[in-house]
Every structure is written in structure tokens, then in C-alpha cells.
Amino acid sequence: MGQVPTGRQRPRHQDRCPLAPVAQKGSMVSNSHQDRMEAALPAIRALQKRAAELEAQRSEPIAVVSMACRLPGGIASPERFWELLAAGGDATGDLPERWKSLDLYDPDPEAEGKSYAQRGGFLDDIEHFDAAFFGISPREAMSMDPQQRLVLETSWEALERAGLPADTLSESRTGVYLGTMGSDYGDLGLDLDALDGYVSTGKASSVLSGRVSYSLGLQGPAITVDTACSSSLVSLHLAVQALRGGECEVALAGGVTLMSAPTLFVEFSRLKAMAPDGRCKSFSADADGAGWSEGVGVLVLKRLSAAQRDGDDVLAVIRGSAVNQDGRSQGLTAPNGPSQTRVIRDALAAAKLAAADIDAIEAHGTGTSLGDPIEAGALAEVFGPDRDPANPVRLGSAKSNIGHTQAAAGVIGVIKMILALEHEQLPRTLHAEQPSALVDWDTSGLELVQEPRDWQRNADRPRRAGVSSFGLSGTNAHVVLEEAPAREAVAAAPVEGPLPVVVSGRTESALRAQAAAWADWLEGDPGVPLAGIARTAARHRTHLEHRAAAVATDTEDATRLLRALAEGRADDAVVSGTAGRAGRVVFVFPGQGPQWVAMGRELLAGSAVFGRVVGECDRVLAPLTGWSVRDVLAGVEGEGLPPVDRVDVVQPAL
């Protein structure tokens, strides 16, 4: 028996009726909903635009606008580094003088407290430091790890090479990210009675970055990173993230290692993990261990949009980077191939690129028979599949030239690849006449660069490279570099001499050294226009107490005058002196009396800048005065030209 509907129930046929009141009511709701949607569209579009901006900022390329380095073999600049790379040079050498008294060498790997290697890569003159330049007392300087001194000097130089005088960055949001492997300064014999209150800050890893920020007055993040051999590349990764996140506007990123004591040589002799001849034989059949060395490298970074806005010289861009960890592997210090593969893939994903977009890899490549094949296998996992055999990824490592610079190794690899992009050539990897048989080169998609390879620009796509760095701690890092975007050539207005080339220093000797450095540079590159030299010297260098100006007519003349200044020879075109304490600005307006007929005539004829500005003034004044101030200054004779001593003439003329 069916259920009888109650008065509250609607007959079923009404539910299906197209003319039911519910349907008409629903139409009214639909119109109201459409109105609300239309009203919300502007806000939705604004949110979409903001989301797109944030996503673009999160992946914006980071420009490298400058770099500086100190490396074995007396290399004190990126230019000298390239000379070594291009020549296929080996910068390693004998153990340093600071260790000579230790009787360190013994060819027996079992000898306690000895090193079976008597070669490595070492920096020169580390005992030399201009402490007063950075406002550091001699007593504090003695207690400072030389690594702190090196990053101070290199950071200052990198900023000046970027055209960013250090004094202009005081109180700016400039970040400092530096890699280290700690400090062994003073480990040869610590005298507790000699502790003077400066040793703790002189050796503290945290102070490595903090010292740079303090000395230059920088107020962005200051972070010291220790992930062993990957420290500087991890520092670079953090700097990239900070720039994209708006934590800083400019960033210094790099790393440093200096071995005050031979601890590493002794330790790795006991482990039998060091090359007896002190050389890294990256991916070679002769690989027999790492060769240890020292070095420091610093990059100056900006967001690409900021660098282009500021007219910076972009050396290369960082498209993406990634960091990960080995986790539990065969051993604490053993490399983990799958983790290396993942970090490379993560960096490519961050760069929004595919494996086929990469031309070359600057590998970790320490020259060990265990680590190199594992690294090559990890690279093969990424680049081997579907790679055109005619276009393999070119593989190399600067460690074969300079040894393993440890905490600085990653940033030095980046500097090498930026130089390779600039010079359109991939340098050869040394000590690898026979590639390792433990790598299946035929299927790897890789080719070891055993001879210099052309790497020319092309119209199809930008050239790109990956740089790897793997830490003993298990922390891995990979960075994807891309050549700088083409910059439109802007025809500069011709500027005629004479122009002042200004140089300065904290002391008279430093001033002369600076003049000598500029003269050396100009002799090596005489094609640099005088206007560019003068502008850079005046606007993009810090002006220190001892100053000089060489008033030159052309680049050759500037070189001659700077050389005279460096050698202490007097010249009428060179003016020098010591700057006093800056006072308040005073504007002086001359009254009537100092004028004379044809005043400024020679300046009008000889200076394009003065003539242009007077012409602009003339165009403004002529409709008001009825006469030409330019003609008055030039002493032009003619009817209707008023005398220069008339009150309404002399005032605008002066």
C-alpha cells in the first residue's frame, strides 16, 4: 500500500515542471550572481597580476655584475686567472714558507704527523695586510685569521670593479654570504697567556661575513656558511634567494680557504686520500686523490632588472640553483650519486630549463678514483638520455689547474665559467690525457674537455653551463649559469680632453701604487676611451685621503702621467694633495666687477660641455633679453650687442 502524501509534500510532477516558480526565482539569482562576478573581476585581475609578478620575482635571473679572486700562482685577478686557464697552466707549487720549519714531508703514508705530498696550491704574501685601510688596529690585525683579511680585500675590490664605491653602500641593504671551512689560525701553538680579547673574533666563522658588513657599514643579511667543500656555492644559492625575496638589493657571495696549519695534509695522508704529487687529475685514469690548495673568490650580485636599470655591466646571469643532502649513504664522507642527480635536476627545474639546454659542466672533479666516477654517473643520468652524440655536454674542472680550493671551490668554478663565456672558449682539463675507464663515456652524453673548445655565441639560444660543488659533509649544490643578455650599443657623445683622471689612496705610497695599477691596465688595453677612464675614476671609485689628478688629453697621455705619478716624477699636468675634513657646502654668487670683455671665449671654443650648457642658457634668456649671452661671453662685435658692464647684461653673463 503506497504512502499518502501529506500537505507538506510537493507532488512529484511539480518538481519536473519547467514553469515552476522555483525556476523563475533561480533566474533572478543567476543575474545577481553575474553582477557580483563582474564587480569582482577587477580585483581578480589585480590578484592575478600580483601573483604573476611574485612568480616572476621568485624566478628572476640574478646578474653577476663583478667578481674578484686570489688564487695560487700569484693570481690576483680574474684576468690573470683566465691567462692561466687559456695557457693550460698549473698553478700548484711547493709547500709554503710558513710550514718549512715543521719538517712535514715523509713519503711513507704510515708516518705519523707527516705529509706524503709536498706540493699544493698556496697564496702569496698572506702576511701583508693594510689594517689601517679598514680601520683595524695592528694588535687586532695580528689576531685576525688571514681568511678575514682576504675577504675584506677581495670584497672591496669586487665592489670597485662593479663601479660601486664601498662608501656609497654604507647603511644599505647589501647582503654578505661567505663560505668557509673554519679557522686553523694559531693552531700551531696556542699560548693561553697571549689571549688578548681579539682572538675569539679573529677566529670566529660568524665574523668572517660580519667583519665585511661591519667594515663597509652594510645592513643586509651577513651569513657565514660551512658545508665543507660546497660552502661557497651554497652561499651563492642563499644570496640568490635573498635577492629574489627582497631581503637585500645587492649581495656579495663567495668563499675562502687558507691553511695556516698543515692539518689537512697530515689528516689526508693518514686517510691515503691525497694525490702524492699534490695535483687534482679530474676524471683521469691517473686520478689518485685530491690536491689541496687555497683561494678566495667573491661575486657581486643584483637582480637582473635592477642591474639593467642601473646600467651595470652584466657578466653573466644565474638562472637557477639548488641545494640538497646525501642523507644516509655508504659513509659520512662518501659521495651519493642519486643525490647529485637530484640536485642537478632541481637546479634545472628552478631555472625552467631542460638538460638539452646545457652546453657545459664545471664539475666538482676532485681527482679521486671513487668520487669522479660517481659524479660522472650522476651527470650521465641527467644528460645522457637522448643527447645528440655530436653535441655532448663538455665536462671540465679548474681543480686540475689550481688544486682544490675547498670552501672557495664552487665560486672559483663559477668565475671560470663566466670567463669562458666572455672569451668564447672552454679551457682544457689538465692531467687527463687518458680519461677514466670507470666512466662509460660513450653513453654518458659527456665529453671531457682535453683540448680548448670554441664556445661561440649563436643566435639560436643563449649559452649555458652548470657548476657543481659537493661537500664532505654531504651537502650538494648546483648552479645554472647563462650568458648575459645582449646589451644595446649606445653611441656616446664624443667628449674632448683635457680631462682629469683622479686616483687616491689611504697613504702616499698607496696612491702611487694605485697610479701604477691604472697605468699597467691602460698599457695593456690602450683602446679604452679617455672619457670612460675619467668617468669611472671620478664616479665609481672611493675617494680616499691622498689624492691626485692627471689632466690628460688622451689615453696615451693619461698612461704617461699616471706612470710619472707612480714613479714620483713631477709633471705640470699632475696635481696632488691631501683631502681635508669635509665641511658644509657654500654657494658663492659673484657681484659686479670681475667681468671683462670676451670672458669665457677660450672655454667656449675648447669645451663642448661648456658650450652646450651656455647654448641652453642662451635659448632660455634670449626671448627675455633680446640679446645673446653667448655672443656677449664670446666678445662678438656687432650692432645691437650691449656692453658687458651694463647691469642687466653683466648679471646673467656672470
Side-chain angles (χ1 to χ4, degrees):
M1 182 175 177
Q3 182 178 6
V4 178
T6 66
R8 297 178 181 177
Q9 291 178 313
R10 178 181 298 158
R12 290 182 180 274
H13 68 276
Q14 290 187 12
D15 291 346
R16 298 190 297 271
C17 176
L19 302 179
V22 152
Q24 296 175 6
K25 185 177 180 181
S27 176
M28 294 169 61
V29 170
S30 178
N31 289 338
S32 175
H33 179 67
Q34 184 175 353
D35 291 343
R36 289 197 298 271
M37 285 291 292
E38 290 178 354
L41 277 176
I44 293 171
R45 291 192 181 103
L47 288 171
Q48 289 174 332
K49 181 181 178 182
R50 179 58 179 156
E53 289 172 350
L54 289 172
E55 176 59 25
Q57 179 179 319
R58 193 174 68 86
S59 59
E60 180 178 5
I62 300 300
V64 180
V65 298
S66 178
M67 53 192 185
C69 62
R70 302 279 189 277
L71 295 171
I75 295 171
S77 69
E79 291 78 13
R80 288 289 308 279
F81 185 26
W82 178 253
E83 290 175 8
L84 177 85
L85 293 169
D90 183 335
T92 60
D94 296 335
L95 299 182
E97 285 294 327
R98 58 185 181 270
W99 294 354
K100 288 296 176 66
S101 63
L102 300 178
D103 188 25
L104 188 63
Y105 175 68
D106 191 316
D108 180 6
E110 303 298 334
E112 295 184 0
K114 302 291 183 178
S115 166
Y116 61 71
Q118 53 181 341
R119 188 180 185 89
F122 302 97
L123 298 185
D124 299 333
D125 302 326
I126 62 166
E127 68 278 7
H128 295 164
F129 177 61
D130 190 351
F133 182 91
F134 295 101
I136 297 170
S137 70
R139 181 178 175 186
E140 184 174 7
M142 286 292 294
S143 297
M144 281 173 57
D145 187 334
Q147 293 182 129
Q148 292 188 20
R149 308 175 205 163
L150 286 168
V151 295
L152 277 173
E153 293 171 342
T154 314
S155 297
W156 181 282
E157 180 185 329
L159 289 170
E160 289 222 324
R161 291 173 72 100
L164 292 169
D167 56 348
T168 66
L169 295 177
S170 181
E171 300 184 8
S172 68
R173 291 175 54 182
T174 298
V176 181
Y177 298 82
L178 294 174
T180 182
M181 286 179 64
S183 172
D184 60 3
Y185 186 53
D187 284 359
L188 290 179
L190 180 61
D191 181 2
L192 296 179
D193 293 334
L195 294 178
D196 57 5
Y198 292 118
V199 171
S200 57
T201 54
K203 292 188 61 172
S205 295
S206 60
V207 176
L208 188 75
S209 57
R211 177 85 67 180
V212 174
S213 294
Y214 171 78
S215 295
L216 305 183
L218 313 179
Q219 295 186 351
I223 297 175
T224 305
V225 174
D226 183 356
T227 58
C229 306
S230 59
S231 296
S232 61
L233 215 58
V234 173
S235 298
L236 179 56
H237 170 75
L238 295 177
V240 166
Q241 289 185 321
L243 287 164
R244 287 172 172 165
E247 293 180 23
C248 51
E249 299 298 324
V250 179
L252 294 164
V256 61
T257 288
L258 190 136
M259 296 174 285
S260 295
T263 309
L264 201 67
F265 274 68
V266 175
E267 276 278 278
F268 274 76
S269 290
R270 299 307 302 275
L271 290 171
K272 301 179 179 62
M274 188 167 54
D277 64 357
R279 295 182 172 95
C280 290
K281 306 168 188 67
S282 308
F283 303 102
S284 170
D286 297 324
D288 56 357
W292 300 117
S293 65
E294 304 171 327
V296 56
V298 174
L299 308 176
V300 180
L301 310 173
K302 285 185 175 182
R303 295 188 304 278
L304 180 59
S305 59
Q308 291 173 328
R309 175 200 67 205
D310 297 339
D312 294 319
D313 184 15
V314 178
L315 307 180
V317 296
I318 298 168
R319 283 290 304 270
S321 61
V323 170
N324 74 1
Q325 233 286 338
D326 284 345
R328 184 171 293 151
S329 59
Q330 293 180 350
L332 173 64
T333 61
N336 186 322
S339 290
Q340 293 179 13
T341 297
R342 283 193 298 273
V343 79
I344 297 167
R345 285 179 171 154
D346 288 348
L348 288 170
K352 295 181 169 55
L353 295 171
D357 296 319
I358 304 300
D359 303 313
I361 293 290
E362 171 65 10
H364 188 57
T366 57
T368 64
S369 57
L370 173 66
D372 284 4
I374 290 176
E375 180 176 4
L379 290 165
E381 286 289 323
V382 178
F383 298 104
D386 304 321
R387 188 81 185 193
D388 181 358
N391 185 32
V393 174
R394 313 297 183 186
L395 180 68
S397 176
K399 293 180 180 67
S400 69
N401 302 93
I402 59 173
H404 187 352
T405 54
Q406 304 169 68
V411 71
I412 298 304
V414 171
I415 291 173
K416 171 192 168 180
M417 297 314 290
I418 291 174
L419 291 168
L421 286 166
E422 176 189 352
H423 293 278
E424 302 187 18
Q425 185 184 91
L426 291 166
R428 72 186 183 97
T429 299
L430 308 186
H431 318 307
E433 289 73 16
Q434 183 65 39
S436 172
L438 300 176
V439 178
D440 185 358
W441 297 101
D442 292 339
T443 63
S444 67
L446 309 171
E447 179 185 81
L448 188 60
V449 183
Q450 295 173 281
E451 295 296 333
R453 287 276 188 177
D454 288 341
W455 195 19
Q456 297 177 343
R457 294 174 175 84
N458 63 76
D460 297 335
R461 65 166 177 83
R463 295 165 298 155
R464 302 185 182 97
V467 180
S468 291
S469 201
F470 308 131
L472 191 72
S473 63
T475 299
N476 309 307
H478 190 81
V479 168
V480 178
L481 285 175
E482 183 177 280
E483 69 178 293
R487 186 173 179 178
E488 293 184 11
V490 178
V495 179
E496 302 173 0
L499 292 173
V501 178
V502 297
V503 290
S504 67
R506 293 276 191 219
T507 63
E508 179 68 25
S509 60
L511 169 64
R512 292 186 180 184
Q514 190 65 237
W518 279 71
D520 290 343
W521 168 56
L522 292 176
E523 285 174 353
D525 195 358
V528 180
L530 177 63
I533 299 165
R535 181 171 56 251
T536 297
R539 299 180 58 186
H540 299 291
R541 289 295 184 271
T542 302
H543 301 299
L544 305 170
E545 295 89 338
H546 290 263
R547 303 178 182 180
V551 184
T553 56
D554 55 30
T555 301
E556 183 179 354
D557 192 32
T559 307
R560 178 184 65 81
L561 294 173
L562 289 167
R563 185 67 68 194
L565 174 61
E567 296 172 358
R569 291 184 280 109
D571 194 292
D572 291 342
V574 176
V575 181
S576 61
T578 304
R581 181 173 297 177
R584 299 175 67 181
V585 176
V586 176
F587 292 93
V588 178
F589 298 93
Q592 296 182 46
Q595 73 276 6
W596 66 92
V597 176
M599 62 180 182
R601 176 186 289 172
E602 291 184 7
L603 196 57
L604 276 170
S607 172
V609 175
F610 184 71
R612 184 174 67 251
V613 174
V614 169
E616 293 171 1
C617 295
D618 198 17
R619 285 190 293 275
V620 173
L621 290 169
L624 305 175
T625 63
W627 47 268
S628 168
V629 70
R630 183 186 182 94
D631 290 347
V632 168
L633 290 172
V636 175
E637 297 180 0
E639 287 189 22
L641 193 66
V644 72
D645 56 356
R646 206 172 78 190
V647 67
D648 62 324
V649 177
V650 68
Q651 291 290 11
L654 285 173

